C-alpha cells in the first residue's frame, strides 16, 4: 500500500485512495464543494487544491490518487493562496443575499468564505443572473447562487436513478436545470437540498420559516415506511418545522425519502386534541372522565370474546404492548397488527424479516422481487438496491407490476401462480436474495404464497450457512414490532379479516382501533368503535368514542424496522391540547375498568416489553432469526400481485393531512398541472 506524508503525518492507505480521502483518514480537513463521499468524483470546484512537493502547480486533492513517497502540504502559503483565488472566482457572480437566504447559518460557502475569502472583491463588472427553475413542490430554486458543483446532477443520476438534471450551456452561460424544465420526479428529490453547498436549492415548504439556531433538534426514527430511517426533528416551540436525515450506514446511509422529509406539516392539520363521544349520531367534545365512563359502561358485562383490537401502521411498541395487556385482562384473544391481512407467521421470526439486512443488499449478486415495488414502498432501500446494481454483476427479476425501479430488470409478468409453477432461478448466483412484498402476502392466498416463496428461496440457494436472502419488505413501521411482541390473535382469536367479518355480523360488539385507519370501516357494522389516534382520519370518522393520542414526534417510542432492528424515537414536541401519549391513555383506561396494568412510567413499560421479548432490549442491532418451516401449503390462484401503494405521497393520516404531500400528489400522481418552466 502507498505511503505518503500529509502535513508531516506519515500515512499508509490502500491503492487508488485520493489525497483528500487520505487526509481525512488522519484528521486533516480539506475544504471542498463538489466532492461528496457517496457521489462520483467531478473535480470541478477546485476548492480542495493542495500543495504537493515536486508538482509544478497545486493539485485537486479530490481527484488525485496518492502516490508512493508523496509529500503533501494542505496549509502551506501556496495552497492557501490557491484556495483564496478559487474562492474569489466563486464569489464573482454569487449574489450578496445571505440575509434572505434559507441556507444562512448552515452554508458551506459562508463557512469557507470566512476561512479563505478576502475582505473585499476586485471585480466591478455586473454579476451574472440566472432564471430560477421549477423543480417541483419540494425544491425551491435560486439559480443565481449556483456554483456549478454538480452534486445535484450526480445525485439524481447515480443515487436516485432519475437522470433529469444536467447542465446546459458553457462557461458563463452554463446553467443547471431539469432538461424539460419540469419537476424532478423522484421520491428522493429532497436530498439535493442537503447536498447543495450553497442556497441554490433549498426546501420550498420550509422557506423563510426559521434560522437553524432557533430550532430545537431531536434525534428520532421515521415511521412513514418500514425502513426505520434515522432522522432529526427540528422544532420551534410546539411546532415541527422540518425533518432531516441522520447518518446510519446500516439503514439509510445519509438519505431520506421525500414523504418522510416533507409530510411533517401534516402534524399541524386535522389534529385530535380532545376526547369526543358520539351523541345522537354526532361527535361531541367531552372530558377524559366522561369519555372513559362511556367506554366502561359499554364494556361492563361484555364477554371478552366480543371485544377486539386492531393496531395501525405507525404505532409504537409500548402502546401495542399496553393494549395487548388490556385485552388479555378483558379475556379477549381478538387482536391483530396486520391491517392489510398479510399472511405473516408470527411464530417464525424469519418469515417476516428482511433477513439479509438492508446493508446486506450490497453482498447479494441476484435479486428476485415478488409482489413489491420498492421504489414506492421503501425509496431509501430501493436506492441501496440501485447502488448494488451500479457495481455490476447483479441481475434483478420482478414478478408483479411492470414499473420503473430506477435500475434494469427482467419482468416475468404479474401472475404469481404461473411463476411458482415454473420458477426461474437466477443463473450462477452465489448469494441470491428475494424480496416478498405485501402485494403478494396480503392476498387471500397469502399463506400459500409465503410457503411457496420459502421453498423457492431454499431451491435457489438463497438460504445457507452465513447467508439468508429471504426478505419480506413491510410497508408499515409498526408491523415487525407488533409481531415481535405478539399483537396477533390468541388461542381461538380472530385476525383482521375475522374481526371485520364478525363485527359486520354482530358477533363482535366492541372494536378498539389503535391508530388503525387503513381498514374498511364500513365492514365494522354496528360495533361500538373506540378510536385512539392523532388525526381526524378514517378511523375517527367511524368512531363512537375518540381518544386523542400523540404522533411519533410527540412521544418516546420503540419501533422495529423491516430487518428487525430495534430503534428508539424521542419526543421532539408535546402533543396538542388534551392529547396524551398512547400507552398512558390505555393505562388510565385500564384503571377505570378495574384491570389496572402493572406499570406507571416508561421505564416500567420497557421492562415489561423486554420481558415479553428480550429482543426489545437490543437497541440498534439486528439479531439473526432462526430458519424454520413457515407458511401453509395450498393452491395459489391466478391473479396479480400489485403493490398496495398506489399513491406514495399519501399512505397514512399524517401524509394525508399534509399540504405538501397534496401538492406532490397533484404533480406526480394526478399529473394535471402543466408547467411552463417558470418559477413556482
Amino acid at each position: 500500500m502507498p505511503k505518503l506524508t500529509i502535513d508531516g503525518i506519515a500515512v499508509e492507505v490502500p491503492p487508488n485512495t485520493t489525497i483528500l480521502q487520505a487526509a481525512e483518514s488522519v484528521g486533516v480537513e480539506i475544504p471542498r464543494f463538489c466532492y461528496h463521499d457517496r457521489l462520483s468524483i467531478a473535480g470541478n470546484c477546485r476548492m480542495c487544491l493542495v500543495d504537493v512537493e515536486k508538482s509544478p502547480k497545486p493539485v485537486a486533492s479530490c481527484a488525485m490518487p496518492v502516490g508512493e513517497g508523496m509529500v503533501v502540504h494542505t496549509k502551506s502559503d501556496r495552497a492557501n493562496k490557491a484556495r483564496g483565488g478559487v474562492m474569489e472566482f466563486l464569489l464573482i457572480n454569487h449574489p450578496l443575499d445571505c440575509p434572505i437566504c434559507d441556507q444562512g447559518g448552515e452554508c458551506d460557502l459562508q463557512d469557507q468564505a470566512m476561512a479563505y475569502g478576502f475582505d473585499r472583491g476586485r471585480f466591478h463588472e455586473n454579476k451574472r443572473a440566472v432564471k430560477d427553475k421549477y423543480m417541483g413542490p419540494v425544491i425551491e430554486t435560486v439559480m443565481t447562487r449556483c456554483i456549478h458543483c454538480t452534486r445535484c446532477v450526480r445525485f439524481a443520476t447515480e443515487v436516485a436513478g432519475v437522470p433529469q438534471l444536467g447542465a446546459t450551456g458553457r462557461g458563463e452561460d452554463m446553467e443547471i436545470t431539469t432538461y424539460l424544465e419540469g419537476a424532478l420526479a423522484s421520491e428522493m428529490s429532497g436530498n439535493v437540498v442537503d447536498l447543495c453547498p450553497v442556497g441554490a436549492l433549498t426546501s420550498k415548504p420550509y422557506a423563510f420559516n426559521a434560522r437553524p439556531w432557533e430550532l430545537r433538534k431531536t434525534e428520532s426514527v421515521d415511521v412513514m415506511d418500514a425502513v426505520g430511517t434515522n432522522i432529526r426533528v427540528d422544532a420551534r416551540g410546539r411546532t415541527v418545522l422540518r425533518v432531516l436525515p441522520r447518518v446510519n450506514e446500516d439503514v439509510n446511509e445519509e438519505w431520506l425519502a421525500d414523504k418522510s422529509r416533507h409530510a411533517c406539516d401534516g402534524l399541524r392539520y386535522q389534529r385530535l386534541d380532545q376526547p369526543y363521544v358520539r351523541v345522537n349520531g354526532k361527535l361531541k367534545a367531552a372530558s377524559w372522565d366522561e369519555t372513559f365512563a362511556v367506554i366502561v359502561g359499554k364494556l361492563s358485562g361484555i364477554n371478552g370474546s366480543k371485544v377486539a383490537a386492531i393496531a395501525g401502521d405507525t404505532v409504537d411498541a409500548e402502546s401495542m404492548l399496553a393494549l395487548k395487556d388490556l385485552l388479555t385482562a378483558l379475556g379477549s384473544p381478538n387482536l391483530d397488527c396486520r391491517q392489510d391481512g398479510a399472511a405473516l407467521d408470527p411464530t417464525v421470526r424469519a418469515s417476516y424479516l428482511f433477513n439479509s439486512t438492508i446493508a446486506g443488499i450490497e453482498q447479494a449478486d441476484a435479486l428476485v422481487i415478488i409482489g413489491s415495488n420498492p421504489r414506492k414502498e421503501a425509496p431509501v432501500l430501493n436506492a441501496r438496491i440501485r447502488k448494488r446494481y451500479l457495481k455490476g454483476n447483479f441481475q434483478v427479476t420482478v414478478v408483479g407490476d411492470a414499473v420503473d425501479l430506477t435500475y434494469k430488470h427482467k419482468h416475468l409478468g404479474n401472475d404469481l401462480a404461473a411463476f411458482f409453477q415454473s420458477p426461474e432461478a437466477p443463473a450462477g448466483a452465489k448469494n441470491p436474495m428475494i424480496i416478498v412484498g405485501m402485494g403478494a402476502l396480503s392476498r387471500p392466498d397469502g399463506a400459500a404464497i409465503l410457503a411457496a416463496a420459502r421453498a423457492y428461496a431454499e431451491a435457489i440457494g438463497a438460504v445457507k450457512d452465513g447467508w439468508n436472502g429471504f426478505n419480506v419488505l413491510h410497508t408499515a413501521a409498526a408491523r415487525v414490532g407488533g409481531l415481535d411482541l405478539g399483537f396477533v390473535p390468541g388461542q381461538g382469536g380472530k385476525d383482521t379479516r375475522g374481526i371485520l367479518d364478525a363485527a359486520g355480523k354482530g358477533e363482535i360488539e366492541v372494536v378498539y382501533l389503535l391508530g388503525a385507519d387503513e381498514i374498511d370501516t364500513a365492514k365494522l357494522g354496528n360495533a361500538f368503535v373506540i378510536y385512539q389516534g392523532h388525526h381526524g382520519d378514517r378511523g375517527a370518522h367511524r368512531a363512537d368514542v375518540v381518544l386523542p393520542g400523540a404522533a411519533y414526534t410527540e412521544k418516546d417510542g420503540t419501533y422495529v424496522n423491516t430487518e428487525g432492528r430495534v430503534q428508539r424515537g424521542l419526543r421532539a414536541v408535546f402533543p396538542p391540547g388534551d392529547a396524551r401519549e398512547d400507552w398512558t391513555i390505555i393505562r388510565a383506561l385500564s384503571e377505570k375498568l378495574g384491570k389496572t396494568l402493572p406499570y406507571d412510567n416508561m421505564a416500567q413499560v420497557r421492562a415489561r416489553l423486554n420481558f415479553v421479548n428480550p429482543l426489545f432490549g437490543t437497541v440498534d442491532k439486528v439479531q439473526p432469526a432462526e430458519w424454520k418451516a413457515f407458511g401453509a401449503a395450498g393452491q395459489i390462484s391466478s391473479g396479480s400481485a400489485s403493490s398496495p401503494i398506489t399513491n406514495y405521497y399519501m399512505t397514512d393520516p399524517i401524509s394525508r393531512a399534509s399540504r405538501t404531500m397534496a401538492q406532490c400528489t397533484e404533480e406526480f400522481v394526478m399529473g394535471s398541472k402543466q408547467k411552463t418552466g417558470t418559477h413556482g
Side-chain angles (χ1 to χ4, degrees):
M1 295 197 299
K3 297 179 181 178
L4 69 157
T5 303
I6 301 175
D7 288 348
I9 304 171
V11 58
E12 185 175 1
V13 293
N16 299 320
T17 302
T18 64
I19 295 175
L20 190 149
Q21 292 169 328
E24 285 193 335
S25 70
V26 293
V28 175
E29 185 178 352
I30 296 176
R32 83 293 298 267
F33 289 117
C34 69
Y35 175 81
H36 192 277
D37 289 341
R38 304 184 200 279
L39 304 176
S40 60
I41 293 171
N44 54 11
C45 78
R46 320 309 285 180
M47 195 63 207
C48 65
L49 291 173
V50 295
D51 185 8
V52 179
E53 289 188 6
K54 299 181 181 178
S55 172
K57 60 182 181 180
V59 170
S61 61
C62 73
M64 174 63 74
V66 299
E68 181 66 38
M70 188 178 275
V71 179
V72 179
H73 303 284
T74 69
K75 298 179 176 64
S76 67
D77 291 341
R78 187 185 186 199
N80 286 333
K81 183 178 180 182
R83 292 174 193 161
V86 170
M87 178 59 67
E88 194 172 7
F89 275 118
L90 286 176
L91 295 177
I92 289 173
N93 285 315
H94 197 78
L96 300 175
D97 59 357
C98 296
I100 61 157
C101 176
D102 266 314
Q103 200 84 345
E106 46 192 6
C107 173
D108 292 350
L109 187 64
Q110 276 186 337
D111 296 341
Q112 294 183 35
M114 284 292 293
Y116 302 102
F118 299 126
D119 60 352
R120 62 184 61 84
R122 292 181 288 173
F123 291 82
H124 302 288
E125 292 79 5
N126 291 332
K127 289 182 179 286
R128 182 185 74 140
V130 181
K131 188 173 76 171
D132 295 336
K133 308 296 188 295
Y134 178 78
M135 291 191 185
V138 302
I139 304 173
E140 180 74 33
T141 63
V142 185
M143 300 312 293
T144 300
R145 300 171 185 159
C146 180
I147 61 170
H148 301 159
C149 71
T150 68
R151 278 186 182 182
C152 56
V153 176
R154 284 174 284 148
F155 172 83
T157 304
E158 298 164 15
V159 179
V162 182
Q164 297 174 351
L165 273 179
T168 60
R170 301 184 69 183
E172 191 177 57
D173 297 323
M174 179 177 169
E175 296 183 19
I176 303 294
T177 179
T178 52
Y179 296 114
L180 301 177
E181 297 203 344
L184 185 59
S186 169
E187 298 76 23
M188 302 277 288
S189 65
N191 290 288
V192 300
V193 172
D194 296 338
L195 290 170
C196 184
V198 295
L201 304 177
T202 55
S203 172
K204 188 173 286 187
Y206 175 70
F208 308 120
N209 272 333
R211 287 298 193 189
W213 53 84
E214 300 177 59
L215 303 175
R216 186 175 62 256
K217 303 168 179 65
T218 308
E219 295 185 350
S220 193
V221 180
D222 172 54
V223 300
M224 295 292 141
D225 57 32
V227 173
T229 301
N230 287 210
I231 58 172
R232 191 187 85 194
V233 180
D234 287 0
R236 183 175 60 191
R238 301 188 69 158
T239 305
V240 173
L241 291 180
R242 66 176 179 179
V243 173
L244 298 176
R246 287 188 292 128
V247 176
N248 187 323
E249 299 293 347
D250 293 330
V251 181
N252 58 294
E253 297 182 300
E254 63 182 75
W255 311 127
L256 182 61
D258 283 356
K259 179 171 57 180
S260 305
R261 183 188 296 266
H262 290 297
C264 61
D265 66 320
L267 294 166
R268 302 198 293 269
Y269 307 118
Q270 299 180 23
R271 291 302 304 270
L272 299 174
D273 58 0
Q274 62 186 51
Y276 290 89
V277 174
R278 191 173 295 276
V279 180
N280 297 325
K282 292 185 178 181
L283 287 172
K284 303 282 188 179
S287 68
W288 279 106
D289 287 338
E290 292 169 344
T291 308
F292 283 158
V294 171
I295 297 174
V296 171
K298 188 66 183 178
L299 287 174
S300 296
I302 287 187
N303 189 292
S305 63
K306 295 185 177 182
V307 180
I310 301 174
D313 291 349
T314 61
V315 183
D316 57 289
E318 290 85 354
S319 305
M320 287 188 283
L321 173 74
L323 185 55
K324 181 192 175 190
D325 286 348
L326 177 59
L327 259 73
T328 301
L330 293 172
S332 171
N334 307 313
L335 63 162
D336 204 348
C337 62
R338 300 163 292 186
Q339 283 190 97
D340 53 10
L344 300 159
D345 189 342
T347 62
V348 182
R349 198 166 189 254
S351 75
Y352 58 83
L353 290 189
F354 202 93
N355 291 288
S356 68
T357 72
I358 296 171
I361 292 171
E362 298 185 33
Q363 311 304 318
D365 53 8
L367 170 61
V368 180
I369 300 174
I370 301 171
S372 176
N373 180 356
R375 181 174 176 181
K376 301 294 184 186
E377 297 170 19
V380 171
L381 185 144
N382 192 63
R384 183 83 73 148
I385 297 175
R386 175 171 169 79
K387 179 181 179 181
R388 173 61 188 90
Y389 166 78
L390 291 177
K391 291 181 179 178
N393 298 319
F394 186 64
Q395 51 181 316
V396 182
T397 306
V398 173
V399 184
D401 291 340
V403 292
D404 177 12
L405 293 174
T406 72
Y407 38 84
K408 291 182 180 178
H409 58 271
K410 182 178 181 181
H411 185 231
L412 295 181
N414 201 7
D415 190 339
L416 289 186
F419 172 75
F420 284 120
Q421 283 171 5
S422 54
E424 185 175 317
K430 294 181 180 178
N431 286 344
M433 60 182 284
I434 73 171
I435 293 178
V436 185
M438 294 301 107
L441 298 181
S442 59
R443 294 187 358 165
D445 55 355
I449 292 172
L450 187 65
R454 172 182 59 81
Y456 175 68
E458 293 171 345
I460 65 174
V463 181
K464 56 191 176 184
D465 287 343
W467 176 255
N468 188 338
F470 179 86
N471 301 304
V472 172
L473 180 57
H474 291 277
T475 55
R479 188 67 48 81
V480 176
L483 293 169
D484 279 349
L485 64 84
F487 200 95
V488 291
Q491 187 71 33
K494 294 178 172 60
D495 60 9
T496 298
R497 286 194 180 98
I499 291 170
L500 294 178
D501 290 342
K505 296 174 184 175
E507 296 170 5
I508 285 183
E509 298 179 15
V510 179
V511 179
Y512 200 124
L513 300 180
L514 179 60
D517 292 278
E518 313 308 319
I519 61 171
D520 185 356
T521 55
K523 292 184 177 180
L524 290 169
N526 294 321
F528 183 83
V529 177
I530 304 165
Y531 177 78
Q532 179 176 329
H534 41 76
H535 276 74
D537 207 80
R538 298 164 185 165
H541 290 169
R542 171 58 185 83
D544 295 289
V545 170
V546 175
L547 305 175
Y552 73 105
T553 56
E554 299 158 1
K555 60 186 174 183
D556 295 334
T558 302
Y559 303 92
V560 189
N561 77 346
T562 192
E563 59 182 350
R565 184 185 303 272
V566 178
Q567 301 186 108
R568 296 263 169 85
L570 300 179
R571 182 178 61 206
V573 295
F574 287 95
D578 287 335
R580 296 291 183 265
E581 293 189 32
D582 291 291
W583 77 266
T584 64
I585 296 173
I586 299 166
R587 166 64 177 77
L589 177 59
S590 72
E591 191 172 339
K592 298 289 186 182
L593 289 167
K595 308 285 186 181
T596 305
L597 297 177
Y599 29 78
D600 300 315
N601 54 50
M602 180 60 82
Q604 293 175 349
V605 176
R606 287 183 172 163
R608 166 74 177 148
L609 203 57
N610 294 347
F611 174 78
V612 170
N613 191 336
L615 286 168
F616 284 101
T618 58
V619 178
D620 202 32
K621 294 178 182 176
V622 176
Q623 301 293 331
E626 184 181 356
W627 186 256
K628 299 178 184 177
F630 53 81
Q635 185 70 29
I636 298 176
S637 60
S638 296
S640 66
S642 302
S643 170
I645 295 180
T646 53
N647 177 6
Y648 161 73
Y649 298 99
M650 289 186 174
T651 57
D652 61 275
I654 297 174
S655 57
R656 282 193 286 269
S658 165
R659 296 181 180 180
T660 304
M661 293 299 98
Q663 293 169 356
C664 288
T665 298
E666 186 178 5
E667 178 71 56
F668 299 115
V669 181
M670 309 301 290
S672 60
K673 292 177 83 171
Q674 296 297 318
K675 291 299 173 184
T676 61
T678 55
H679 179 58

